[in-house]
Amino acid sequence: MPAALAGLGFGASLIIAIGAQNAFVLRQGLRREHVGAIVLVCALSDAVLIAAGVAGLGSLLQLVPWTLVVVRIGGAAFLVVYGVLAARRALRPSRLETDAAGASVSLAAAVGTATALTWLNPHVYLDTVVLLGSVSATHGAERWWFGLGATAASILWFSALGYGARLLRPLFARPLAWRILDALVALVMLAIAGSLLLGLLATV
């Protein structure tokens, strides 16, 4: 269970950030248009990507145990960079566009857009497959619990964003809300990076 909770927190840190996918989910939620289908596409896509990351790196570690050291160092370095970028976003706030106006879109178009925003984004492979997979591998036999926690974070986030969008509109129209959110993401990223390095030192 500790691994699942760690996955929940880490997955939330990766997912909750200003981006094209979240902006689209939020906008469609504000319009109350095909919300269920869009949430399902985003959550299922994340589940597949998370499973791929956990399975691939888990198998690699079983074959080459010393790669755990590389995983820890590389994962920590990536997390530090990601944390710094989140901190910069917190210091330099931007506004997430949530315009609910405009013509309605068909179900096919909405699902196609959500799919493209997920699978055609190169960062999703770095974040979800490589980075999350690397961190999950450090949990050894409990890495799948970590993956399940991350998957739960994805489901909870997209459901809350899509169905709760109309309640969030006054809040996330303000840059301060995203500054606070990005500051929390930065703290979590840097804390996890520190724990990975400490774990490495403990094995030396």
Side-chain angles (χ1 to χ4, degrees), residues 33-158:
E33 191 175 61
H34 313 307
V35 177
I38 292 169
V39 169
L40 183 62
V41 167
C42 293
L44 284 179
S45 296
D46 267 9
V48 171
L49 291 165
I50 290 168
V54 175
L57 287 171
S59 299
L60 176 63
L61 288 176
Q62 289 178 354
L63 295 174
V64 191
W66 60 263
T67 55
L68 182 58
V69 176
V70 177
V71 166
R72 286 184 181 275
I73 295 175
F78 198 103
L79 284 168
V80 168
V81 172
Y82 206 109
V84 170
L85 292 176
R88 286 186 61 188
R89 290 196 302 268
L91 294 173
R92 299 177 181 178
S94 57
R95 179 174 178 171
L96 183 64
E97 295 299 329
T98 60
D99 181 21
S104 61
V105 297
S106 66
L107 174 61
V111 169
T113 300
T115 302
L117 289 174
T118 301
W119 291 92
L120 298 183
N121 177 11
H123 293 290
V124 75
Y125 299 100
L126 290 174
D127 293 349
T128 308
V129 178
V130 177
L131 179 57
L132 191 145
S134 298
V135 176
S136 73
T138 66
H139 289 270
E142 295 187 346
R143 64 183 181 276
W144 285 107
W145 283 108
F146 184 93
L148 286 174
T151 301
S154 176
I155 295 171
L156 290 172
W157 170 251
F158 287 121

Side-chain angles (χ1 to χ4, degrees), residues 72-73 75-77 79-80 186-202:
R72 286 184 181 275
I73 295 175
L79 284 168
V80 168
L187 288 174
V188 170
M189 291 292 186
L190 294 175
I192 295 175
S195 69
L196 289 177
L197 294 176
L198 289 175
L200 179 61
L201 292 175

